[in-house]
Amino acid sequence: MQPGRRLLDVGAGIGGPAAYAREETGVEVDLVDPMPQACAAAERIFGLPALVGDAGKLPLDDRGHDAAWSLGVLCTLSDQPAALAELARVVRSGGGIGLLVFVRLAQRQRVHMPDNDFPAWRELRDMLDDARLDLVHEHRLKDFGAPDAGWTARADRVHDDVRRHHLRDPRWQRAERQRKAVETFVDEGLVEGVVLTCRVR
């Protein structure tokens, strides 16, 4: 994307990826997350505008963004078609939408995990089509290789700091259990991370 274009991050958390995109490309970024604390942290740490909102009912106007992404969020939602339709609604026609999705491998049985629903590839493709999103590129997350050591070290420091401050918070404990469960499912070949680039019709 070019400087001055507007990018939306849905399920943005505290906004690290959006801040990186702004720094690297000069795009304007907007964030939406259901957690008020995450939105406040994004504004405090990165100076990013953040709205509290549900991915299935975004508090945004139609066609107001040039592109959007949602990273690792879709499989945590109970109404995945609604979230995809909302992404398509708020991005201009022809605009791009990026998704990081953990999908259930087709030959496996349904993978059960509280607060997560991993779609099979066929289900995901059908949902994209119903939302009027054309799949342009798809890549397996594992094909990207490991991040560089500097990035890993910074991410580890952030994780350790969050852990120190929120170790006894049930929400952090649940998120940590989910993170470890997804890693186990990936290691066992039950799910895989895919990175998708889509275009709004």
Side-chain angles (χ1 to χ4, degrees), residues 52-82:
V52 178
D54 189 316
K57 193 173 182 181
L58 295 172
L60 298 164
D61 293 335
D62 294 356
R63 311 297 184 212
H65 289 79
D66 298 291
W69 68 34
S70 188
L71 308 177
V73 173
L74 192 68
C75 62
T76 69
L77 302 175
S78 59
D79 193 343
Q80 296 169 357

Side-chain angles (χ1 to χ4, degrees), residues 42-57:
E43 293 177 348
R44 184 178 67 252
I45 296 170
F46 298 113
L48 296 176
L51 293 172
V52 178
D54 189 316
K57 193 173 182 181

Side-chain angles (χ1 to χ4, degrees), residues 1-149:
M1 287 182 65
Q2 298 174 347
R5 298 285 188 173
R6 186 167 291 278
L7 170 70
L8 172 66
D9 187 340
V10 176
I14 66 171
Y20 180 80
R22 181 182 63 179
E23 180 179 325
E24 289 296 306
T25 68
V27 297
E28 298 178 28
V29 293
D30 296 311
L31 280 58
V32 174
D33 194 89
M35 297 294 293
Q37 299 91 335
C39 293
E43 293 177 348
R44 184 178 67 252
I45 296 170
F46 298 113
L48 296 176
L51 293 172
V52 178
D54 189 316
K57 193 173 182 181
L58 295 172
L60 298 164
D61 293 335
D62 294 356
R63 311 297 184 212
H65 289 79
D66 298 291
W69 68 34
S70 188
L71 308 177
V73 173
L74 192 68
C75 62
T76 69
L77 302 175
S78 59
D79 193 343
Q80 296 169 357
L84 292 172
E86 280 292 274
L87 284 168
R89 178 183 68 78
V90 300
V91 173
R92 63 174 175 79
S93 180
I97 292 179
L99 299 168
L100 167 58
V101 184
F102 288 92
V103 297
R104 183 177 80 252
L105 298 183
Q107 69 271 26
R108 303 286 186 169
Q109 295 180 344
R110 183 167 294 277
V111 180
H112 295 285
M113 179 175 157
D115 301 321
N116 283 261
D117 184 11
F118 304 103
W121 259 114
R122 174 176 287 182
E123 294 170 341
L124 180 57
R125 287 177 181 274
D126 287 345
M127 285 190 287
L128 293 173
D129 188 56
D130 289 344
R132 301 182 59 79
L133 296 175
D134 292 324
L135 182 58
V136 179
H137 297 291
E138 59 184 71
H139 301 280
R140 270 53 179 182
L141 189 58
K142 63 183 179 182
D143 294 338
F144 287 96
D148 66 68

